[in-house]
């Protein structure tokens, strides 16, 4: 018997879905099912009606053209996303959508794509591309492993907390040894890979926050993560 249904909303899968980011949605769906719940996937693209039932929101990366294509629509639903974040809905935003959840992204050409200001961050495009395997150390999740590929340099404001500190890689800007940003149950990060298959602790954290918000508690199952552990071991030992 199902413990209940959790609704996963994927933002802009047509425009913001590169470097394996679709795998984050698939991982959430499968782990929700392994924990004994039903999972419902809802894709949200420009012009769609934003769903009324939302338990987890996930979004991926995209090129500058993809960010420009979804910018107006994202800003139109921005107040609803901020309301949901303040209501403790868990969210995972990768790379391009991580940037646009901030105040703005300024391209190398000087074009400013305004964000929604949910995260207190600013991003400016640079000449150097930060690319390669990355390990981020987090007090809550331990080592988070992934792959980064971005030229945007993100700086955190005083209202944003980092996801973690960089052990290998560049992180937000290659200078301050910080990676990602957090606000309540929202995580923004540059880690592709995709992120969640190799980091089940992060996936289960999102699911737990969603279940507790929806049902008042989370009843997990024991999941055999031997393959995730092996993938993590290999990823951690890969050269930059």
């Amino acid at each position: 018997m199902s413990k209940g249904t959790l609704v996963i909303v994927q933002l802009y899968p047509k425009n913001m879905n590169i470097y394996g980011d679709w795998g984050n949605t698939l991982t959430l769906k499968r782990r929700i099912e392994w924990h004994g719940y039903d999972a419902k996937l809802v894709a949200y693209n420009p012009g769609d009606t934003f769903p009324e039932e939302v338990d987890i929101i996930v979004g991926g990366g995209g090129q500058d053209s993809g960010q420009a294509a979804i910018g107006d629509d994202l800003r139109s639903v921005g107040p609803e996303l901020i309301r949901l974040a303040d209501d403790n809905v868990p969210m995972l935003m990768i790379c391009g959508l991580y940037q646009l959840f901030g105040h703005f992204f300024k391209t190398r050409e000087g074009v400013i794509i305004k964000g929604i200001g949910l995260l207190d961050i600013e991003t400016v495009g640079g000449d150097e591309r930060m690319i390669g395997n990355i390990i981020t150390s987090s007090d809550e999740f331990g080592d988070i492993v992934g792959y980064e590929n971005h030229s945007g340099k993100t700086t955190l404001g005083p209202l944003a907390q980092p996801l973690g500190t960089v052990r290998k890689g560049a992180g937000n800007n290659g200078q301050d040894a910080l990676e990602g940003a957090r606000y309540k149950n929202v995580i923004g990060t540059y880690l592709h890979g995709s992120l969640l298959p190799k980091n089940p602790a992060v996936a289960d954290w999102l699911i737990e926050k969603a279940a507790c918000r929806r049902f008042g508690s989370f009843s997990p199952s024991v999941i055999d993560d031997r393959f995730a552990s092996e993938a993590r071991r290999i990823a951690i030992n890969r050269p930059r």
Side-chain angles (χ1 to χ4, degrees):
M1 179 181 296
S2 172
K3 300 173 184 175
T5 299
L6 293 173
V7 179
I8 306 168
V9 175
Q10 185 177 17
L11 294 182
Y12 310 116
K14 293 181 180 178
N15 300 98
M16 307 294 287
N17 178 26
I18 58 174
Y19 306 129
D21 291 335
W22 173 246
N24 292 324
T25 302
L26 296 178
T27 298
L28 284 170
K29 180 179 183 297
R30 183 54 58 88
R31 293 188 75 86
I32 285 171
E33 294 168 345
W34 284 346
H35 283 302
Y37 299 83
D38 290 328
K40 179 181 178 182
L41 297 182
V42 178
Y44 177 81
N45 288 294
D48 292 345
T49 299
F50 200 84
E52 294 183 4
E53 293 290 322
V54 178
D55 294 305
I56 302 176
I57 302 178
V58 61
Q63 298 174 332
D64 292 359
S65 58
Q67 290 177 284
I70 59 98
D72 287 343
D73 190 89
L74 177 64
R75 288 184 290 273
S76 72
V77 298
E80 176 65 5
L81 291 169
I82 292 171
R83 183 192 70 79
L84 291 169
D86 286 335
D87 195 31
N88 294 313
V89 170
M91 305 183 190
L92 176 66
M93 296 297 131
I94 307 295
C95 199
L97 275 172
Y98 165 41
Q99 294 172 346
L100 292 186
F101 263 49
H103 299 299
F104 64 81
F105 169 54
K106 183 177 180 180
T107 70
R108 289 176 59 197
E109 294 74 28
V111 177
I112 295 178
I113 305 175
K114 187 178 178 181
I116 63 174
L118 194 159
L119 295 171
D120 186 19
I121 62 172
E122 298 176 350
T123 303
V124 177
D127 294 325
E128 176 188 3
R129 193 148 200 95
M130 292 168 276
I131 181 170
N133 297 302
I134 177 172
I135 304 173
T136 297
S137 179
S138 161
D139 290 340
E140 186 161 12
F141 303 115
D143 282 343
I144 306 171
V145 297
Y147 186 86
E148 61 182 339
N149 187 350
H150 59 102
S151 57
K153 295 184 176 182
T154 296
T155 303
L156 273 59
L159 300 181
Q161 297 296 320
L163 174 61
T165 56
V166 177
R167 288 212 297 117
K168 178 171 71 174
N172 282 333
N173 51 52
Q175 297 172 332
D176 60 16
L178 300 178
E179 208 294 313
R182 296 184 63 176
Y183 170 74
K184 291 198 171 184
N185 292 336
V186 178
I187 294 175
T189 176
Y190 277 113
L191 273 64
H192 296 283
S194 52
L195 173 66
L196 295 184
K198 294 190 294 293
N199 298 278
V202 180
D204 284 350
W205 180 87
L206 293 164
I207 295 167
E208 179 180 4
K209 295 300 182 183
C212 288
R213 179 179 174 273
R214 173 64 63 188
F215 306 115
S217 64
F218 175 54
S219 177
S221 300
V222 177
I223 298 175
D224 182 355
D225 283 325
R226 73 181 77 176
F227 295 114
S229 297
E230 179 65 7
R232 286 172 54 79
R233 185 191 67 79
I234 293 171
I236 287 172
N237 291 316
R238 280 177 177 167
R240 167 69 176 172

